Amino acid sequence: MPGPLGRHLQWTSHDPLHAEISSSPNGLLDIDTEPTAAQRADAESQIATELSTAGPPPPSSTLLPPLPPSKLSPLMAQELDRVAAQQPLAAIDLKRYEAQEPLAAPGAEPAPAALAETLRKAYTTHTYLTARVENLELLERWGRNAWLVGNHRLEGQLRALEKDLADAKADIDVLTLARRRAQDDVAAEVKGLDEAWRSGVGRVLETEIAVEALRRQVLTEMERKAKA
C-alpha cells in the first residue's frame, strides 16, 4: 500500500500488539476489571429498588408533541381512500393501444362519426407503434455499447468505493493501535490513582470513626461529671 499510512501498516502488521487488536472485537480492552457476580447482583438489586420507588414512567403520548394537522390535497386524499379501499389503480387508459374494432360488414354504410373515431384511434396506434419500432432499432444498434459503457463506469465507481473503504479500514487500524498504546501507557497511572483514591477514602472513614468515638467519650465524660 503506497504512502506513509501504507508503510506504517506494513510495519505494524508484524507487531504482536497489532495482531491482538485485529483479533479483538472492539480493538480496546478496558482497564477496569469485570465485576464479580455478587457485585453485579448487588448493583442490579439497587437499580430495581430505585425503579420501584420512582413509580411508573409517564406514557409516551404525553412526552411527544401532537401531530401537525394534515395538509393533503384533494387528489392525495382521494388516492389514500383508494388504497384503503384496495381498489386497483386506473392511471392510463390502455384502450388506445388495443386493436381497433373491425369495420362494418360489406354493404353496410358506416356512420361518419364512427369512421372519424376509428381513424383517430388508427392514427394514435400508428404513432405509438412507429415510435416503438424506432426505439427498438436504436436499442438493437446502440444498446449493447451503452450497456458496456454503463458497466465500465459502474466498475470504476466500485473500485473507487473499495479504495475508500480500504483507506478507511487502514485509518481505523492505525487509530485503534494508537488508542490501545495510549491506554496501555496510562494504565499504571490510572491504577495508581485508583488505589490512592481508595486509600484516601479509607483514611477519611477511619478519621470519621475516630472523631465519632472521641465525641462519644466526651459526651460520656460530661454526663458523668454532671451526675457527680
Side-chain angles (χ1 to χ4, degrees):
M1 183 178 297
L5 181 60
R7 291 194 296 270
H8 181 74
L9 287 179
Q10 290 176 359
W11 177 78
T12 56
S13 60
H14 303 287
D15 192 353
L17 183 58
H18 181 269
E20 182 180 356
I21 290 176
S22 300
S23 61
S24 178
N26 56 3
L28 291 176
L29 299 177
D30 294 332
I31 295 178
D32 296 336
T33 58
E34 187 71 17
T36 61
Q39 293 174 346
R40 185 181 295 275
D42 182 57
E44 291 178 353
S45 64
Q46 293 182 15
I47 293 173
T49 303
E50 184 69 20
L51 291 177
S52 62
T53 57
S60 58
S61 59
T62 60
L63 302 177
L64 299 177
L67 294 176
S70 177
K71 297 181 180 180
L72 297 178
S73 62
L75 184 60
M76 287 296 298
Q78 181 181 357
E79 182 65 15
L80 291 177
D81 294 339
R82 183 195 65 79
V83 174
Q86 298 182 355
Q87 297 178 357
L89 176 64
I92 302 177
D93 186 11
L94 301 179
K95 293 181 179 179
R96 67 182 67 181
Y97 304 117
E98 297 177 356
Q100 305 302 322
E101 297 84 357
L103 297 176
E109 185 69 21
L115 289 177
E117 180 66 19
T118 302
L119 184 61
R120 186 185 66 81
K121 292 182 179 180
Y123 282 152
T124 303
T125 304
H126 178 268
T127 303
Y128 167 74
L129 293 178
T130 301
R132 180 67 174 170
V133 169
E134 291 178 358
N135 291 333
L136 291 176
E137 290 177 352
L138 292 174
L139 183 62
E140 179 68 21
R141 180 179 301 178
W142 308 108
R144 180 176 179 274
N145 293 335
W147 179 72
L148 293 176
V149 170
N151 283 349
H152 178 70
R153 292 178 179 176
L154 291 177
E155 289 176 357
Q157 295 177 3
L158 178 60
R159 286 192 295 268
L161 292 176
E162 289 177 347
K163 181 179 180 301
D164 293 341
L165 178 61
D167 294 342
K169 288 183 177 180
D171 293 340
I172 291 174
D173 289 340
V174 173
L175 179 60
T176 302
L177 181 62
R179 290 178 59 190
R180 175 61 184 275
R181 287 180 173 174
Q183 190 180 33
D184 290 341
D185 292 340
V186 299
E189 181 181 357
V190 171
K191 185 176 180 180
L193 292 175
D194 181 69
E195 293 177 354
W197 176 79
R198 293 177 184 273
S199 177
V201 171
R203 287 195 295 268
V204 169
L205 293 177
E206 292 175 357
T207 304
E208 291 180 354
I209 292 173
V211 169
E212 181 64 21
L214 181 60
R215 187 180 69 84
R216 289 181 179 274
Q217 290 179 4
V218 171
L219 292 177
T220 303
E221 185 66 22
M222 292 176 63
E223 290 178 358
R224 187 181 63 80
K225 289 182 178 181
K227 291 179 180 180

